[in-house]
Amino acid sequence: MAFQILLNFFLAFLWMFLQVSFDLKTFVIGYLLGLILIYGMRRFFKTDLYIRRVWAVIYLTLLFFKELIMANIDVLKVILKPKLDIQPGIFALPTELKSDWEITLLANLITLTPGTLVIDVSDDQKTLYVHAIDVPDVQDAINSIKESFEKAIMEVSRPC
Amino acid sequence: MTVIIETMIILFLLLGVFLTLVAAFGVIRLPDVYTRNHAASKSATLGVMFILLSCFLYFYLIEGHFSSRVLLGIAFIFITAPVGGHLISRAAYHSGVKLWGKSVRDDLKNKK
């Protein structure tokens, strides 16, 4: 992936040297032309086109912000409700993610999700222990959200 | 145009202050460390982010000064606040702070 980005920069500089004009506009045009070239040559690369990964990162960031706002509305409702009828609890959540940074990202996402907070990661890094503010009615919904998070993170780390 | 901008800035500022206030209420009202942590780590994060955002918009759109430090501040808070919440509740759990009496399940207890 990094190789493709470097190659794209190299092609942009090549374009600038061919044009003998060294300003931002020429660079941007060269970069776009290089992108088209790399897209045309995609079958010679081992990995996928890097644009897809960039898109996955942007998607993940937007997901982060959306979840943060949803979580706040949720907490707002719990706090401002006159009657305190929440049922907190800790549940285990198995995860398929392997590397450290993926698990960190997942834990951060879960912490910013409505009503959940990561308390511990097991030593073998296969289970996350999550504290939920209201266990009965979130459990299923949360599991499905986790699926989408894990997918989004996997899309970033290993696109296929 | 200025009216729209000013309304937006005021709106963000009030929203941020309101969320911070609700976070403070939550810390007082909720029953144990973990549930309080929910309020503190979520509402306070978004509240401070909104306040910083309105500060950034004010200086950029009205004073004409682009302050990249405020944007960096937003990014840093966004990254570090959930980690802080996680570490506090983890430290609490491992030093044996009990969950609230009405808690329904505890999978971490039979981990070892």
Side-chain angles (χ1 to χ4, degrees):
Chain A
M1 180 194 167
F3 171 71
Q4 285 181 27
I5 294 175
L6 272 179
L7 187 65
N8 206 341
F9 266 89
F10 173 73
L11 287 173
F13 278 114
L14 194 68
W15 180 255
M16 275 158 76
F17 275 87
L18 282 173
Q19 296 285 316
V20 204
S21 77
F22 301 95
D23 50 9
L24 188 70
K25 209 179 82 191
T26 326
F27 179 80
V28 171
I29 292 172
Y31 197 88
L32 291 178
L33 286 175
L35 202 62
I36 294 170
L37 212 63
I38 287 177
Y39 179 72
M41 300 278 174
R42 64 192 179 283
R43 56 185 279 253
F44 297 108
F45 297 110
K46 284 190 190 67
T47 52
D48 217 15
L49 210 62
Y50 76 92
I51 287 297
R52 200 161 134 198
R53 231 156 136 178
V54 172
W55 170 246
V57 170
I58 293 170
Y59 176 75
L60 199 63
T61 317
L62 291 181
L63 197 69
F64 244 121
F65 278 105
K66 192 196 117 209
E67 288 306 324
L68 183 61
I69 290 168
M70 298 292 283
N72 272 281
I73 296 170
D74 222 53
V75 168
L76 219 68
K77 270 193 228 154
V78 168
I79 292 170
L80 297 181
K81 213 171 173 187
K83 209 159 141 275
L84 204 62
D85 52 0
I86 49 171
Q87 293 180 305
I90 296 173
F91 64 89
L93 176 91
T95 178
E96 291 161 30
L97 299 174
K98 293 281 183 311
S99 59
D100 284 350
W101 71 267
E102 287 172 327
I103 292 171
T104 313
L105 208 57
L106 182 68
N108 263 7
L109 263 174
I110 291 172
T111 301
L112 292 175
T113 315
T116 50
L117 205 144
V118 176
I119 288 199
D120 206 355
V121 181
S122 68
D123 298 331
D124 57 356
Q125 301 200 332
K126 288 203 176 102
T127 323
L128 296 177
Y129 293 94
V130 181
H131 182 271
I133 204 166
D134 210 357
V135 169
D137 67 67
V138 262
Q139 181 96 62
D140 288 338
I142 279 165
N143 279 334
S144 70
I145 290 171
K146 298 289 149 54
E147 294 295 309
S148 72
F149 284 165
E150 261 188 12
K151 270 218 193 78
I153 291 174
M154 274 182 184
E155 195 77 20
V156 173
S157 60
R158 47 198 121 127
C160 40
Chain B
M1 194 59 196
T2 350
V3 180
I4 301 173
I5 290 169
E6 277 169 0
T7 324
M8 208 163 71
I9 291 168
I10 291 169
L11 208 71
F12 277 145
L13 195 60
L14 284 181
L15 208 61
V17 171
F18 174 68
L19 281 172
T20 318
L21 187 71
V22 167
F25 276 145
V27 170
I28 296 169
R29 225 189 135 210
L30 291 170
D32 68 353
V33 184
Y34 308 103
T35 44
R36 280 175 182 172
N37 214 336
H38 276 281
S41 68
K42 281 169 205 155
S43 302
T45 312
L46 196 64
V48 174
M49 277 168 70
F50 268 130
I51 292 173
L52 284 179
L53 187 66
S54 80
C55 168
F56 169 77
L57 287 178
Y58 175 79
F59 278 105
Y60 182 49
L61 296 173
I62 294 188
E63 309 267 320
H65 171 69
F66 185 90
S67 173
S68 54
R69 281 180 205 160
V70 178
L71 288 184
L72 267 187
I74 292 176
F76 282 145
I77 283 176
F78 188 52
I79 298 167
T80 51
V83 181
H86 161 66
L87 281 179
I88 290 169
S89 52
R90 182 188 145 93
Y93 195 91
H94 285 295
S95 50
V97 177
K98 294 248 180 336
L99 275 83
W100 189 35
K102 281 184 195 158
S103 304
V104 278
R105 56 191 286 195
D106 188 356
D107 288 348
L108 190 50
K109 197 164 56 187
N110 33 37
K111 172 181 145 193
K112 276 113 196 176

